[in-house]
Amino acid sequence: MWSVTEHLADILGTVRPLEPIELQLLDAQGCVLVDDVTVPVSLPPFDNSSMDGYAVRAADVAGASEEFPAVLTVIGDVAAGRGGPLTVGPGQTARIMTGAPLPPGAEAVVPVEWTDGGLGGGAVSGMRAHSTAPEGASGQVRIHRAAQPRAYVRARGSDVRAGDRALEAGTVLRAPQIALLAAIGRGTVRVRPRPRVVVLSTGSELVQPGEPLGEGQVYDANSFALTAAAREAGALAYRVGAVDDDAETLRATIEDQLIRADLVVTTGGVSVGAYDVVKEALAHVGDEDEEGGGVDFRTLAMQPGKPQGFGSIGPDHTPLLALPGNPVSSYVSFELFARPAIRTLMGVRDIHRPSARAVLRADKALTSPDGRRQFLRGRYDAEAGEVTPVGGAGSHLVAALAHADALIVVPERTVSVEPGTEVDVVVLD
Amino acid sequence: MWSVTEHLADILGTVRPLEPIELQLLDAQGCVLVDDVTVPVSLPPFDNSSMDGYAVRAADVAGASEEFPAVLTVIGDVAAGRGGPLTVGPGQTARIMTGAPLPPGAEAVVPVEWTDGGLGGGAVSGMRAHSTAPEGASGQVRIHRAAQPRAYVRARGSDVRAGDRALEAGTVLRAPQIALLAAIGRGTVRVRPRPRVVVLSTGSELVQPGEPLGEGQVYDANSFALTAAAREAGALAYRVGAVDDDAETLRATIEDQLIRADLVVTTGGVSVGAYDVVKEALAHVGDEDEEGGGVDFRTLAMQPGKPQGFGSIGPDHTPLLALPGNPVSSYVSFELFARPAIRTLMGVRDIHRPSARAVLRADKALTSPDGRRQFLRGRYDAEAGEVTPVGGAGSHLVAALAHADALIVVPERTVSVEPGTEVDVVVLD
């Protein structure tokens, strides 16, 4: 008998983060940055206007008011990304748009709302479009307010400076980090790729959902559930589907799939029966005269999920997790062992689900077998700090699983948990 | 001036959940179920064994012990998904595998570990594989323990019963729900599809990351950031990239894209400048002699994100959000307006990010303009119930955004928030 902790430690001791690759920025979403990223050019790259308005010399607008406006000559437009260089001399101004470089000579920006917009009337609420009123870029403008030097000017390098560390190695790239990388001009980035996870279920009784169910058959739920779960963990998951209980077929199928697998996850066929084909097929793989490590089958001190297999397979020693076949067993086993393995392959720092302490809300005590760490399905109320069991302990209760959002953990030496007691909870959402 | 609340209400009053489609189960991951799903066939569909062992009649093993075992004749194997019907008569037993149907005549299962496995010795730890030891399906077996009727038998319908409601309309399909749907035989499911969101940024100054930066140019960050953010919200997002500040080009580009858009998001060109091309291009769209609604441009009482456009465009009245162009303004606007719109298109019940109250941790008071709802970037510590501002209020501070995981909300009438005060926080993770 192995403990959950020992088994997980053995898995994590074997699985290594994937080799990094250079990806286009949006392809790297959700991936982990491998190197520190340094800012190559300061942001903003030049002093620029934070408003639509007029670029002025402070002295020219000193003391200006609506009653006694400063009257300046408009020498042209400075719009982001267009037009040649303009220099603002004494008594002059340039119309300037948000984000446009502050022209030489100018020291500040006066928002358009504090001017007559060149129309000779009162304060305006905005500029007319240049395409329909090009005369706005010339003539005279009345400025209604004074401006301190640097007013409405965003200084070069006020966001980040060349040489600063923009992002640290190990950062997961989500939208705001992608924003920053794009802003500093990174078109591609070195990250660990999403792990490719091949999921297959085993069992001659398994029928593809949507097909008619024969005598003694059940639908294949595991290959769907674990493919979806692998994706939620961040992997690219390939569902192979159900394989018959035949050792040669299974072995050939797995070998075929290795070319697209960073991790293989199987379900079923790992227990003590006479048709436990995963055990049968993969027990050979570890022979000393064959390449590719081997697969260990163990009995774990846990419920559900007692029988487990783990090892590596094929010339690249691709890690393989052989999970039990009961739907709830396989799902819980995936959460406990496959998900941390996937997160490790990704290079994520925090590979575990969040956990919490919560007060058990139940009508009666929970019972748990002595010597086994039990994982019960529950609904967790973070605000109240409470967890309520959903369904029973049976490993076939997939309906209960679909209504749970947490696992209630009952330690090995605990055989009964009274309502009102604090328990450990793994939060699945 | 419109309030944030009014603007959001106007958007949500217009956007409708997308029409449902039937999708393959794994294609429906993350989507919202449109109808209640009823269980067509009870689960498990037949009484079956929860252990690898022997299917027995209770009377035949009454009083059995290791010292005085019950000796039964093995009439064959019952394995999941294989073999014909067997009937267990008095004095007989069948080897049975986990998940296999309990054969007629048998009332209970005795785990193999409580037998001699047919080997004539002591208790065994498992069965030998049928492929290498077919004789295990015949001969005699010694049973070391008695069995209550129904022991280790999972009853037909003990998980879900035909006619039960498996999942409720409105459920988001994640891995456990996909497990349940597969288990009850659903190969496809009717859901609202992922919204297709077209993202384009505008600005003649914008350069694609990775290209050299010319005088007065900046990198296009918004189209990357919002494409990534739209995906994180659950959408299929298409990044068109940066469009020059030319009304005709912009209009033609948007019209081209409408064929793949459930929502169009633009950034930039919505303010009061002379080159605010989004405003210019889309102001015409609402003309009464044209199809397709219209786009309203508004000034919102918020910071950042004051100028905002919203409306619909084209023959299908595709919703369009015209967000401001400053990177932080566009990101905050996306969070406040585009994300809830996307979530509404998806049909999700809870369209908003979680929010919390947290104590402000800062060296000095936060200041906020009177009459504007301010959204500052912060780092939220849920455990401590505290939030710390990151960077300043400037809408160009994209580096700060990349290190934030929350927005600190300062209400319209508040101009200063002292450290130690409780504030509202929008949690972005």
Side-chain angles (χ1 to χ4, degrees), chain A residues 26 29 46 52 77 80-82 127 130-131 154 158-160 166 174-175 177 182 185 205 210 219 228 231-232 245 271-275 280 326 396 398-399 402-403 429, chain B residues 26 29 52 77 80-82 97 127 130-131 154 158-160 166 174-175 177 182 185 205 210 219 228 231-232 245 271-275 280 326 396 398-399 402-403 429:
Chain A
L26 284 173
Q29 187 172 4
F46 42 81
D52 297 314
D77 279 352
R82 64 171 81 202
M127 300 175 191
H130 182 259
S131 59
R154 297 190 289 218
S158 59
D159 192 341
V160 286
R174 303 187 67 214
Q177 291 76 36
E205 76 280 21
Y219 287 112
R231 287 184 188 163
E232 285 170 13
D245 286 330
S271 194
V272 297
Y275 300 84
E280 203 179 326
N326 283 319
H396 61 306
V398 67
H403 295 96
D429 266 357
Chain B
L26 284 173
Q29 186 171 6
D52 298 314
D77 279 353
R82 65 171 80 202
M97 312 303 147
M127 299 176 192
H130 182 259
S131 60
R154 297 190 289 219
S158 59
D159 192 343
V160 287
R174 303 188 67 215
Q177 291 77 36
E205 77 280 21
Y219 287 112
R231 287 183 189 165
E232 285 171 12
D245 286 331
S271 194
V272 296
Y275 300 83
E280 203 179 327
N326 283 319
H396 61 306
V398 67
H403 296 96
D429 266 354

Coordinates of all heavy atoms in Angstrom, one line a residue, chain A residues 26 29 46 52 77 80-82 127 130-131 154 158-160 166 174-175 177 182 185 205 210 219 228 231-232 245 271-275 280 326 396 398-399 402-403 429, chain B residues 26 29 52 77 80-82 97 127 130-131 154 158-160 166 174-175 177 182 185 205 210 219 228 231-232 245 271-275 280 326 396 398-399 402-403 429:
Chain A
L26 N -0.1 35.4 -29.4 CA -1.5 34.9 -29.0 C -1.5 33.4 -28.9 O -2.4 32.8 -28.3 CB -2.5 35.4 -30.0 CG -2.9 36.8 -29.8 CD1 -3.8 37.3 -30.9 CD2 -3.6 37.0 -28.5
Q29 N -0.7 32.3 -25.2 CA -1.7 32.6 -24.2 C -1.9 31.4 -23.2 O -2.1 30.3 -23.7 CB -3.1 33.0 -24.8 CG -4.1 33.4 -23.8 CD -5.3 34.0 -24.4 OE1 -5.5 33.9 -25.6 NE2 -6.2 34.5 -23.6
F46 N 8.1 58.2 -26.6 CA 8.3 59.7 -26.7 C 7.3 60.4 -25.8 O 6.3 59.8 -25.5 CB 8.2 60.1 -28.2 CG 7.0 59.5 -28.9 CD1 5.7 60.0 -28.7 CD2 7.2 58.3 -29.7 CE1 4.7 59.3 -29.3 CE2 6.1 57.7 -30.3 CZ 4.8 58.2 -30.1
D52 N -6.8 65.3 -26.4 CA -7.0 66.0 -27.7 C -7.0 67.5 -27.4 O -7.8 67.9 -26.5 CB -8.3 65.6 -28.4 CG -8.3 64.1 -28.7 OD1 -7.3 63.6 -29.3 OD2 -9.4 63.5 -28.4
D77 N -1.4 70.2 -37.6 CA -1.9 69.1 -36.7 C -0.8 68.2 -36.4 O 0.1 67.9 -37.2 CB -3.0 68.3 -37.4 CG -4.4 69.0 -37.3 OD1 -4.5 70.0 -36.6 OD2 -5.3 68.5 -38.0
A80 N -1.3 61.2 -34.0 CA -0.5 60.0 -33.9 C -0.3 59.3 -35.2 O -1.2 59.0 -35.9 CB -1.2 59.1 -32.9
G81 N 1.0 59.1 -35.5 CA 1.4 58.3 -36.7 C 1.2 59.0 -38.0 O 1.2 58.4 -39.0
R82 N 1.0 60.3 -38.0 CA 1.0 61.0 -39.3 C 1.6 62.4 -39.3 O 1.8 62.9 -38.2 CB -0.5 61.0 -39.9 CG -1.4 61.9 -39.1 CD -2.7 62.0 -39.8 NE -3.6 60.8 -39.7 CZ -4.5 60.5 -40.5 NH1 -4.7 61.2 -41.6 NH2 -5.3 59.4 -40.3
M127 N -13.1 68.6 -31.4 CA -12.6 69.1 -32.7 C -13.5 68.5 -33.8 O -14.1 67.4 -33.6 CB -11.2 68.6 -33.0 CG -10.2 69.0 -32.0 SD -8.6 68.3 -32.3 CE -7.7 68.7 -30.8
H130 N -10.9 66.2 -39.3 CA -10.0 66.9 -40.2 C -10.5 66.6 -41.7 O -10.3 67.4 -42.6 CB -8.6 66.4 -40.1 CG -7.6 67.0 -41.0 ND1 -7.2 66.4 -42.1 CD2 -7.1 68.2 -41.0 CE1 -6.3 67.2 -42.8 NE2 -6.2 68.3 -42.1
S131 N -11.1 65.4 -41.9 CA -11.5 65.1 -43.2 C -12.6 66.0 -43.7 O -12.7 66.3 -44.9 CB -12.0 63.6 -43.3 OG -13.0 63.4 -42.4
R154 N 2.4 63.0 -21.3 CA 2.9 61.7 -20.7 C 4.4 61.6 -21.1 O 4.7 61.6 -22.3 CB 2.1 60.6 -21.3 CG 0.7 60.7 -20.9 CD -0.1 59.4 -21.2 NE -0.3 59.3 -22.6 CZ -1.4 58.8 -23.2 NH1 -2.4 58.5 -22.4 NH2 -1.5 58.7 -24.5
S158 N 7.6 56.9 -18.8 CA 6.9 56.9 -17.6 C 6.1 55.6 -17.3 O 5.7 55.4 -16.2 CB 5.9 58.1 -17.6 OG 5.0 58.0 -18.7
D159 N 6.0 54.8 -18.3 CA 5.3 53.5 -18.1 C 6.4 52.5 -17.7 O 6.5 52.0 -16.6 CB 4.6 53.1 -19.3 CG 3.6 51.9 -19.1 OD1 3.8 51.2 -18.1 OD2 2.7 51.7 -19.9
V160 N 7.3 52.2 -18.7 CA 8.5 51.3 -18.4 C 9.7 51.9 -19.1 O 9.5 52.6 -20.1 CB 8.3 49.9 -18.9 CG1 7.3 49.1 -18.0 CG2 7.8 49.8 -20.3
A166 N 10.3 43.6 -17.6 CA 8.9 43.7 -17.9 C 8.1 42.6 -17.2 O 7.2 42.8 -16.4 CB 8.6 43.7 -19.4
R174 N -1.4 35.8 -19.4 CA -2.8 36.1 -19.6 C -2.9 37.4 -20.3 O -1.9 38.0 -20.7 CB -3.5 36.0 -18.3 CG -3.3 34.7 -17.6 CD -4.1 34.5 -16.3 NE -5.5 34.4 -16.7 CZ -6.5 34.9 -15.9 NH1 -6.2 35.5 -14.8 NH2 -7.8 34.8 -16.3
A175 N -4.2 37.9 -20.5 CA -4.4 39.0 -21.4 C -3.5 40.2 -21.0 O -2.9 40.9 -21.8 CB -5.9 39.4 -21.4
Q177 N -0.7 40.4 -19.5 CA 0.8 40.2 -19.7 C 1.0 40.3 -21.3 O 2.0 40.7 -21.7 CB 1.2 38.9 -19.1 CG 1.3 38.8 -17.6 CD -0.1 38.7 -17.0 OE1 -1.0 38.0 -17.5 NE2 -0.4 39.4 -15.9
A182 N 3.1 42.9 -26.1 CA 2.9 43.6 -27.4 C 3.3 45.0 -27.3 O 4.0 45.5 -28.2 CB 1.4 43.5 -27.7
G185 N 6.8 45.5 -27.9 CA 7.2 45.1 -29.3 C 7.6 43.7 -29.5 O 8.1 43.3 -30.5
E205 N -16.8 -3.3 -22.7 CA -18.2 -3.0 -22.4 C -18.5 -1.5 -22.9 O -19.7 -1.1 -22.8 CB -18.5 -3.2 -21.0 CG -18.0 -2.1 -20.0 CD -16.6 -2.2 -19.6 OE1 -15.8 -2.9 -20.4 OE2 -16.2 -1.7 -18.6
G210 N -24.3 8.2 -27.8 CA -25.0 8.4 -29.0 C -25.3 7.1 -29.8 O -26.3 7.1 -30.6
Y219 N -21.9 3.3 -21.4 CA -21.3 4.4 -22.2 C -19.9 4.8 -21.7 O -19.7 4.8 -20.5 CB -22.2 5.6 -22.3 CG -23.4 5.4 -23.1 CD1 -24.7 5.3 -22.5 CD2 -23.3 5.2 -24.5 CE1 -25.8 5.1 -23.3 CE2 -24.4 5.0 -25.3 CZ -25.7 4.9 -24.7 OH -26.8 4.7 -25.5
A228 N -11.7 16.6 -21.4 CA -12.2 17.9 -21.0 C -11.4 18.4 -19.8 O -11.0 19.6 -19.8 CB -13.7 17.8 -20.6
R231 N -7.9 19.6 -20.8 CA -8.0 20.9 -21.4 C -8.1 22.0 -20.4 O -7.5 23.0 -20.4 CB -9.2 21.0 -22.3 CG -9.0 20.3 -23.6 CD -10.2 20.5 -24.5 NE -10.3 19.7 -25.7 CZ -11.4 19.6 -26.3 NH1 -12.6 20.2 -26.0 NH2 -11.4 18.8 -27.4
E232 N -9.0 21.7 -19.4 CA -9.2 22.7 -18.3 C -7.9 22.9 -17.5 O -7.6 24.0 -17.0 CB -10.3 22.3 -17.4 CG -11.7 22.5 -18.1 CD -12.9 21.9 -17.3 OE1 -12.7 21.6 -16.1 OE2 -14.0 21.9 -17.9
D245 N -10.7 -4.7 -24.4 CA -9.8 -5.3 -23.4 C -9.0 -6.4 -24.1 O -9.2 -7.6 -23.9 CB -10.7 -5.9 -22.3 CG -11.2 -4.9 -21.4 OD1 -10.6 -3.9 -21.2 OD2 -12.3 -5.1 -20.8
S271 N -6.9 -3.1 -12.1 CA -7.2 -3.7 -10.8 C -6.7 -5.2 -10.7 O -5.7 -5.5 -11.4 CB -8.7 -3.6 -10.5 OG -8.9 -3.8 -9.2
V272 N -7.4 -6.0 -10.0 CA -6.9 -7.4 -9.7 C -7.7 -8.4 -10.5 O -7.7 -9.6 -10.2 CB -7.0 -7.7 -8.2 CG1 -6.0 -6.7 -7.5 CG2 -8.4 -7.5 -7.6
G273 N -8.5 -8.0 -11.5 CA -9.3 -8.9 -12.3 C -8.5 -9.7 -13.3 O -7.4 -9.4 -13.5
A274 N -9.3 -10.6 -14.0 CA -8.6 -11.5 -15.0 C -8.6 -10.8 -16.4 O -8.0 -11.4 -17.3 CB -9.3 -12.8 -15.0
Y275 N -9.2 -9.6 -16.5 CA -9.2 -9.0 -17.8 C -8.7 -7.6 -17.7 O -9.1 -6.7 -18.4 CB -10.7 -9.0 -18.4 CG -11.2 -10.4 -18.6 CD1 -11.8 -11.1 -17.5 CD2 -11.1 -11.0 -19.8 CE1 -12.2 -12.4 -17.7 CE2 -11.5 -12.3 -20.0 CZ -12.1 -13.0 -18.9 OH -12.5 -14.3 -19.1
E280 N -1.9 -5.8 -17.9 CA -1.3 -6.9 -18.7 C -0.4 -6.4 -19.8 O 0.7 -6.9 -20.0 CB -2.5 -7.7 -19.2 CG -2.2 -9.1 -19.6 CD -3.4 -9.8 -20.2 OE1 -4.6 -9.5 -19.7 OE2 -3.3 -10.6 -21.1
N326 N -13.6 3.2 -12.9 CA -14.8 3.8 -12.4 C -14.8 5.3 -12.7 O -13.8 5.9 -12.4 CB -15.0 3.5 -10.9 CG -15.4 2.1 -10.6 OD1 -16.2 1.5 -11.3 ND2 -14.8 1.5 -9.6
H396 N -19.1 5.1 -8.5 CA -19.8 5.1 -9.8 C -20.8 6.3 -9.8 O -21.5 6.4 -10.8 CB -20.5 3.8 -10.0 CG -21.5 3.4 -9.0 ND1 -21.3 3.4 -7.6 CD2 -22.9 3.1 -9.1 CE1 -22.3 3.1 -7.0 NE2 -23.3 2.9 -7.8
V398 N -21.5 9.3 -10.8 CA -21.1 10.4 -11.7 C -22.1 11.5 -11.7 O -21.7 12.7 -11.9 CB -20.8 9.8 -13.1 CG1 -22.1 9.4 -13.8 CG2 -20.1 10.8 -14.0
A399 N -23.3 11.2 -11.4 CA -24.3 12.3 -11.3 C -23.9 13.3 -10.1 O -24.0 14.5 -10.3 CB -25.7 11.8 -11.1
A402 N -21.1 15.6 -11.0 CA -21.5 16.7 -11.9 C -22.2 17.9 -11.1 O -22.3 19.0 -11.6 CB -22.5 16.2 -13.0
H403 N -22.5 17.6 -9.9 CA -23.1 18.7 -9.1 C -22.2 19.1 -7.9 O -22.6 19.9 -7.1 CB -24.5 18.2 -8.5 CG -25.5 18.0 -9.6 ND1 -25.7 16.8 -10.2 CD2 -26.2 18.9 -10.4 CE1 -26.6 16.9 -11.2 NE2 -26.9 18.2 -11.3
D429 N -13.3 24.5 -8.7 CA -13.7 25.5 -9.7 C -12.6 26.4 -10.0 O -11.9 26.9 -9.1 CB -14.9 26.3 -9.1 CG -16.2 25.7 -9.6 OD1 -16.1 24.7 -10.4 OD2 -17.2 26.2 -9.3
Chain B
L26 N -17.5 17.2 -26.8 CA -16.3 17.9 -26.4 C -16.2 19.3 -27.1 O -15.4 20.2 -26.6 CB -15.0 17.1 -26.8 CG -14.7 15.9 -25.8 CD1 -13.6 15.0 -26.3 CD2 -14.4 16.5 -24.4
Q29 N -17.7 22.0 -24.6 CA -17.0 22.3 -23.4 C -17.0 23.8 -23.2 O -16.6 24.6 -24.1 CB -15.6 21.7 -23.4 CG -14.8 21.9 -22.1 CD -13.5 21.2 -22.1 OE1 -13.1 20.6 -23.1 NE2 -12.8 21.1 -20.9
D52 N -13.6 -7.0 -8.3 CA -13.2 -8.3 -9.0 C -13.3 -9.4 -8.0 O -12.8 -9.3 -6.9 CB -11.7 -8.2 -9.4 CG -11.5 -7.0 -10.4 OD1 -12.3 -6.9 -11.4 OD2 -10.5 -6.3 -10.2
D77 N -16.5 -17.0 -16.5 CA -16.2 -15.6 -16.2 C -17.3 -14.7 -16.7 O -17.9 -14.9 -17.7 CB -14.9 -15.2 -17.0 CG -13.7 -15.7 -16.3 OD1 -13.8 -16.2 -15.1 OD2 -12.6 -15.5 -16.9
A80 N -16.9 -7.4 -18.0 CA -17.6 -6.3 -18.6 C -17.5 -6.4 -20.1 O -16.4 -6.5 -20.6 CB -17.1 -5.0 -18.0
G81 N -18.6 -6.5 -20.7 CA -18.7 -6.4 -22.2 C -18.3 -7.6 -23.0 O -18.0 -7.6 -24.1
R82 N -18.2 -8.7 -22.3 CA -17.9 -9.9 -23.1 C -18.6 -11.2 -22.5 O -19.0 -11.2 -21.4 CB -16.4 -10.2 -23.2 CG -15.7 -10.4 -21.8 CD -14.2 -10.9 -22.1 NE -13.4 -9.7 -22.4 CZ -12.2 -9.8 -23.0 NH1 -11.8 -10.9 -23.5 NH2 -11.5 -8.7 -23.2
M97 N -15.9 -9.6 -12.9 CA -15.0 -8.4 -12.9 C -15.8 -7.2 -12.6 O -17.0 -7.1 -12.8 CB -14.4 -8.3 -14.3 CG -13.8 -9.6 -14.9 SD -12.6 -10.4 -13.8 CE -12.9 -12.1 -14.2
M127 N -6.6 -11.9 -9.4 CA -6.7 -13.0 -10.4 C -5.6 -13.0 -11.3 O -5.0 -12.0 -11.6 CB -8.0 -12.8 -11.2 CG -9.3 -12.8 -10.4 SD -10.7 -12.4 -11.4 CE -12.0 -12.1 -10.1
H130 N -6.7 -13.8 -17.7 CA -7.4 -14.9 -18.4 C -6.6 -15.3 -19.6 O -6.6 -16.5 -20.0 CB -8.8 -14.4 -18.8 CG -9.5 -15.5 -19.5 ND1 -9.7 -15.5 -20.9 CD2 -10.2 -16.6 -19.1 CE1 -10.4 -16.6 -21.3 NE2 -10.7 -17.3 -20.2
S131 N -5.9 -14.4 -20.2 CA -5.1 -14.7 -21.4 C -4.0 -15.7 -21.2 O -3.6 -16.5 -22.0 CB -4.6 -13.4 -22.1 OG -3.7 -12.8 -21.2
R154 N -23.6 -3.0 -7.2 CA -24.1 -1.7 -7.4 C -25.5 -1.8 -8.1 O -25.5 -2.4 -9.2 CB -23.1 -0.9 -8.3 CG -21.8 -0.7 -7.5 CD -20.9 0.3 -8.2 NE -20.4 -0.3 -9.5 CZ -19.2 -0.1 -9.9 NH1 -18.3 0.6 -9.2 NH2 -18.8 -0.7 -11.1
S158 N -28.8 3.2 -9.3 CA -28.4 3.8 -8.0 C -27.6 5.1 -8.2 O -27.5 5.9 -7.3 CB -27.5 2.8 -7.2 OG -26.4 2.4 -8.0
D159 N -27.2 5.3 -9.4 CA -26.6 6.6 -9.8 C -27.6 7.6 -10.2 O -27.9 8.6 -9.5 CB -25.5 6.4 -10.8 CG -24.6 7.6 -11.0 OD1 -24.9 8.7 -10.5 OD2 -23.5 7.4 -11.6
V160 N -28.2 7.4 -11.4 CA -29.4 8.2 -11.8 C -30.4 7.2 -12.4 O -30.1 6.2 -12.9 CB -29.0 9.2 -12.9 CG1 -28.2 10.4 -12.3 CG2 -28.2 8.6 -14.0
A166 N -30.9 15.2 -15.4 CA -29.4 15.0 -15.2 C -28.8 16.4 -15.0 O -28.1 16.6 -14.0 CB -28.8 14.4 -16.4
R174 N -18.6 21.8 -17.9 CA -17.2 21.6 -17.6 C -17.0 20.1 -17.6 O -17.9 19.3 -17.8 CB -16.8 22.3 -16.3 CG -17.1 23.8 -16.4 CD -16.6 24.6 -15.3 NE -15.1 24.6 -15.3 CZ -14.4 24.5 -14.2 NH1 -14.9 24.5 -13.0 NH2 -13.1 24.5 -14.3
A175 N -15.8 19.6 -17.2 CA -15.4 18.2 -17.3 C -16.4 17.3 -16.5 O -16.9 16.3 -17.1 CB -14.0 18.0 -16.8
Q177 N -19.6 17.7 -15.9 CA -20.9 17.7 -16.5 C -20.8 16.9 -17.8 O -21.7 16.2 -18.3 CB -21.4 19.1 -16.8 CG -21.8 19.9 -15.5 CD -20.6 20.4 -14.8 OE1 -19.6 20.8 -15.4 NE2 -20.7 20.3 -13.4
A182 N -21.9 12.1 -21.1 CA -21.4 10.9 -21.8 C -21.9 9.7 -21.2 O -22.4 8.7 -21.9 CB -19.8 10.9 -21.8
G185 N -25.1 8.7 -22.3 CA -25.2 8.3 -23.7 C -25.4 9.5 -24.6 O -25.7 9.3 -25.8
E205 N -0.5 55.2 -36.1 CA 0.8 55.2 -35.4 C 1.1 53.7 -34.9 O 2.2 53.5 -34.4 CB 0.8 56.1 -34.2 CG 0.0 55.6 -32.9 CD -1.5 55.8 -33.0 OE1 -2.1 55.9 -34.1 OE2 -2.2 55.8 -31.9
G210 N 7.2 43.2 -33.1 CA 8.2 42.4 -33.8 C 8.8 43.2 -35.0 O 9.9 42.9 -35.5
Y219 N 3.7 50.4 -30.5 CA 3.3 49.1 -30.9 C 1.8 48.9 -30.6 O 1.2 49.5 -29.6 CB 4.1 48.0 -30.1 CG 5.5 47.9 -30.6 CD1 6.6 48.3 -29.9 CD2 5.7 47.4 -31.9 CE1 7.9 48.2 -30.4 CE2 7.0 47.3 -32.4 CZ 8.1 47.7 -31.7 OH 9.3 47.6 -32.2
A228 N -6.9 38.2 -26.5 CA -6.7 37.3 -25.4 C -7.8 37.4 -24.4 O -8.2 36.3 -23.9 CB -5.3 37.6 -24.8
R231 N -11.0 35.6 -25.4 CA -10.8 34.2 -25.3 C -11.0 33.8 -23.9 O -11.6 32.8 -23.6 CB -9.5 33.7 -25.8 CG -9.3 33.7 -27.3 CD -7.9 33.2 -27.5 NE -7.5 33.4 -28.9 CZ -6.3 33.2 -29.3 NH1 -5.3 32.9 -28.4 NH2 -5.9 33.4 -30.6
E232 N -10.4 34.5 -23.0 CA -10.5 34.2 -21.5 C -12.0 34.3 -21.1 O -12.4 33.6 -20.2 CB -9.6 35.1 -20.7 CG -8.1 34.6 -20.8 CD -7.1 35.6 -20.2 OE1 -7.5 36.5 -19.4 OE2 -5.9 35.4 -20.4
D245 N -6.0 55.2 -39.6 CA -7.0 56.2 -39.3 C -7.6 56.8 -40.6 O -7.4 57.9 -40.9 CB -6.4 57.3 -38.5 CG -6.1 56.9 -37.0 OD1 -6.9 56.1 -36.5 OD2 -5.2 57.4 -36.4
S271 N -12.6 59.6 -29.4 CA -12.6 60.8 -28.5 C -13.0 62.0 -29.2 O -13.8 62.0 -30.2 CB -11.2 60.9 -27.8 OG -11.3 61.8 -26.7
V272 N -12.5 63.2 -28.8 CA -12.9 64.4 -29.4 C -11.9 65.1 -30.3 O -11.9 66.2 -30.6 CB -13.2 65.4 -28.2 CG1 -14.4 64.9 -27.4 CG2 -12.0 65.7 -27.4
G273 N -10.9 64.2 -30.8 CA -9.9 64.8 -31.7 C -10.4 64.9 -33.2 O -11.5 64.4 -33.5
A274 N -9.5 65.4 -34.0 CA -9.8 65.6 -35.4 C -9.6 64.4 -36.3 O -9.9 64.4 -37.5 CB -9.0 66.8 -35.9
Y275 N -9.0 63.3 -35.7 CA -8.7 62.1 -36.4 C -9.3 60.9 -35.7 O -8.8 59.8 -35.8 CB -7.2 61.9 -36.6 CG -6.5 63.1 -37.3 CD1 -6.2 64.3 -36.6 CD2 -6.3 63.1 -38.7 CE1 -5.6 65.3 -37.3 CE2 -5.8 64.1 -39.3 CZ -5.4 65.3 -38.6 OH -4.9 66.3 -39.3
E280 N -16.0 58.8 -36.7 CA -16.3 59.4 -38.0 C -16.9 58.3 -38.9 O -17.9 58.5 -39.6 CB -15.0 59.9 -38.6 CG -15.1 60.9 -39.7 CD -13.7 61.3 -40.2 OE1 -12.7 61.3 -39.4 OE2 -13.6 61.6 -41.4
N326 N -6.3 54.1 -25.4 CA -5.3 54.0 -24.4 C -5.3 52.5 -23.9 O -6.4 52.0 -23.6 CB -5.4 54.9 -23.2 CG -5.0 56.3 -23.6 OD1 -4.0 56.5 -24.3 ND2 -5.8 57.3 -23.1
H396 N -2.1 55.0 -19.5 CA -1.2 54.4 -20.4 C -0.2 53.4 -19.7 O 0.7 52.9 -20.2 CB -0.3 55.5 -21.1 CG 0.4 56.3 -20.1 ND1 -0.1 57.0 -19.1 CD2 1.8 56.6 -20.1 CE1 0.8 57.7 -18.4 NE2 1.9 57.5 -19.0
V398 N 0.5 50.3 -18.9 CA 0.2 48.9 -19.2 C 1.1 48.0 -18.4 O 0.8 46.9 -18.1 CB 0.3 48.7 -20.7 CG1 1.8 48.9 -21.2 CG2 -0.2 47.4 -21.1
A399 N 2.3 48.5 -17.9 CA 3.2 47.6 -17.1 C 2.5 47.3 -15.8 O 2.5 46.2 -15.3 CB 4.5 48.3 -16.9
A402 N -0.2 44.7 -16.0 CA 0.3 43.3 -16.2 C 0.7 42.7 -14.8 O 0.9 41.5 -14.7 CB 1.5 43.3 -17.1
H403 N 0.8 43.6 -13.8 CA 1.1 43.1 -12.4 C -0.1 43.2 -11.5 O 0.1 42.9 -10.3 CB 2.3 43.8 -11.9 CG 3.6 43.5 -12.7 ND1 4.0 44.3 -13.7 CD2 4.4 42.4 -12.7 CE1 5.1 43.8 -14.3 NE2 5.4 42.7 -13.7
D429 N -8.8 37.6 -11.6 CA -8.3 36.3 -11.8 C -9.4 35.2 -11.9 O -10.3 35.2 -11.1 CB -7.3 35.9 -10.7 CG -5.9 36.2 -11.2 OD1 -5.8 36.6 -12.3 OD2 -5.0 36.1 -10.4

